[in-house]
Amino acid sequence: MASPVKSLCIVVPKAEGESVRKKLLDMDNLRKDLIVDRDESNVFFPIFKKMDLGYDVKEMDFKEAGVVVRSYIDVIDIPEELRPLLPTSFDIVGEIAVIRIPDDLKDHSSAIGNAILEANKPIRTVVSDEGVMGEHRLRKIEVIAGENNTTTVHKEYGLSFSVDLSKAYFSPRLATERRRVAQKVQEGENIIDMFCGVGPFSIMIAKNVSPVSIFGIDSNPYAIKSFMDNIRLNHVENVVPIQGDVRDMLGSLEPADRIIMDLPHRSFEFFEGALGALKEKGIVHYYEILTEVAARDRENELSATARNLGRDMEIEEQRVVRRYSPTQCHFAFDIKVS
Ligand SMILES: C[S@@+](CC[C@H](N)C(=O)[O-])C[C@H]1O[C@@H](n2cnc3c(N)ncnc32)[C@H](O)[C@@H]1O
């Protein structure tokens, strides 16, 4: 079972739950990545940021909203004593189900894959996920059932992203985060998406705001090729994919109003370079996987790096994008630099 995620929430008496839910949706302040909680009298809606609707706001633990797959568990044929080990959720990327299989169930991978296919008609391929690794953050996957094809088109907020999961990084779990960032962008901004992958941040922004100019950099040639396909698929303009190492590329770009740094295992080593590529005033969307204690230290280290370069910075917003492991979270820092 995934560990709970801490989030701000608004506490609403049950009778008023539905009208408040609609208000939160209208205001884009309802976290859809977490499951709404209830007790006998109240509904607890997880929210992105504090707001005053006349109800209490507090912090509490929520379960992550994965895809509940009880139905595959209903149809699978495995020894009874192994059932409690079956994963209760998996990710869906386009028509591919991506599932982490515990070691004790590895011998039953194809039974799990076939049960998922049987219970989820739109899925045509099931892959086991052994984690993300290497410079290109490639997911180590193995087809365990269905078509031997790891290329698919994933739909997210009306956009289409083509990806070969064996050749480029993509995670559907960042959808809410990509949308949140896109909604902050102002017309006319110049943006650098430093680790763009197949382009979902860049494309979501270009679709949301116009005019805007976006340069997306990635060292993985397959990611850049898919990014180009995705620009065509979504009919966006003013998005320029660049293949190469950001350390070699940043110097040739115009200074940016906003920089996205989505390389959450190594962002800190690139932060100084990002500051150098930013206009006198700008925003950095900085992502890193950290424990809560390390996240507090990181704030000081980011400020010290900025100070050494003669810049001021403040963290406008810090939030947990998702729980990464029992002790670590994927953090987002919105950093205002001047
Ligand atoms: C976590 S993925 C980012 C995915 C993307 N932002 C998204 O939302 O799907 C990180 C990406 O950084 C790229 N990368 C890693 N080191 C790099 C470097 N030094 N220069 C450019 N790209 C790099 C990897 O190839 C990978 O595609």
Side-chain angles (χ1 to χ4, degrees), residues 39-214:
D39 67 12
E40 269 148 37
S41 27
N42 293 309
V43 189
F44 304 90
F45 290 109
I47 55 175
F48 292 116
K49 52 181 182 265
K50 219 169 178 155
M51 64 187 314
D52 188 8
L53 286 182
Y55 301 102
D56 282 351
V57 172
K58 65 174 190 171
E59 194 178 59
M60 64 179 240
D61 287 337
F62 286 89
K63 285 192 198 131
E64 280 190 281
V67 181
V68 177
V69 288
R70 222 164 264 122
S71 49
Y72 103 81
I73 292 174
D74 294 341
V75 297
I76 193 169
D77 183 17
I78 61 161
E80 234 12 73
E81 66 277 15
L82 294 177
R83 280 188 174 272
L85 302 179
L86 285 168
T88 52
S89 69
F90 52 77
D91 281 342
I92 294 178
V93 181
E95 298 165 296
I96 303 179
V98 182
I99 187 161
R100 277 187 171 256
I101 299 183
D103 286 346
D104 289 346
L105 286 179
K106 288 273 193 284
D107 290 347
H108 300 273
S109 294
S110 46
I112 293 172
N114 285 322
I116 290 175
L117 287 181
E118 189 183 333
N120 299 272
K121 290 300 170 215
I123 290 175
R124 58 158 172 77
T125 299
V126 183
V127 299
S128 70
D129 175 5
E130 303 292 330
V132 169
M133 44 203 79
E135 180 197 326
H136 294 152
R137 310 310 296 147
L138 295 186
R139 203 168 287 285
K140 189 162 177 253
I141 54 174
E142 190 190 336
V143 174
I144 56 172
E147 276 177 41
N148 189 11
N149 178 358
T150 52
T151 302
T152 189
V153 175
H154 182 76
K155 303 270 188 201
E156 179 175 301
Y157 290 111
L159 302 174
S160 301
F161 299 122
S162 168
V163 60
D164 181 339
L165 289 179
S166 70
K167 295 191 174 142
Y169 177 91
F170 181 81
S171 170
R173 295 186 184 200
L174 291 185
T176 310
E177 180 58 20
R178 294 191 265 263
R179 185 148 184 262
R180 187 187 73 88
V181 168
Q183 286 173 336
K184 289 190 172 253
V185 173
Q186 308 288 318
E187 281 180 20
E189 283 190 10
N190 186 33
I191 297 172
I192 302 176
D193 182 0
M194 267 173 68
F195 308 100
C196 62
V198 303
F201 269 103
S202 298
I203 291 172
M204 177 99 55
I205 292 169
K207 212 58 186 178
N208 207 50
V209 191
S210 175
V212 73
S213 98
I214 308 174

Side-chain angles (χ1 to χ4, degrees), residues 135-137 169 178 195-197 200-201 218-220 244-247 262-264 270:
E135 180 197 326
H136 294 152
R137 310 310 296 147
Y169 177 91
R178 294 191 265 263
F195 308 100
C196 62
F201 269 103
D218 204 290
S219 54
N220 178 356
D245 190 309
V246 288
R247 288 168 287 212
D262 179 26
L263 184 62
F270 295 91

Side-chain angles (χ1 to χ4, degrees), residues 217 242-253 270:
I217 309 171
I242 302 171
Q243 196 242 308
D245 190 309
V246 288
R247 288 168 287 212
D248 304 328
M249 300 298 164
L250 284 178
S252 58
L253 297 178
F270 295 91

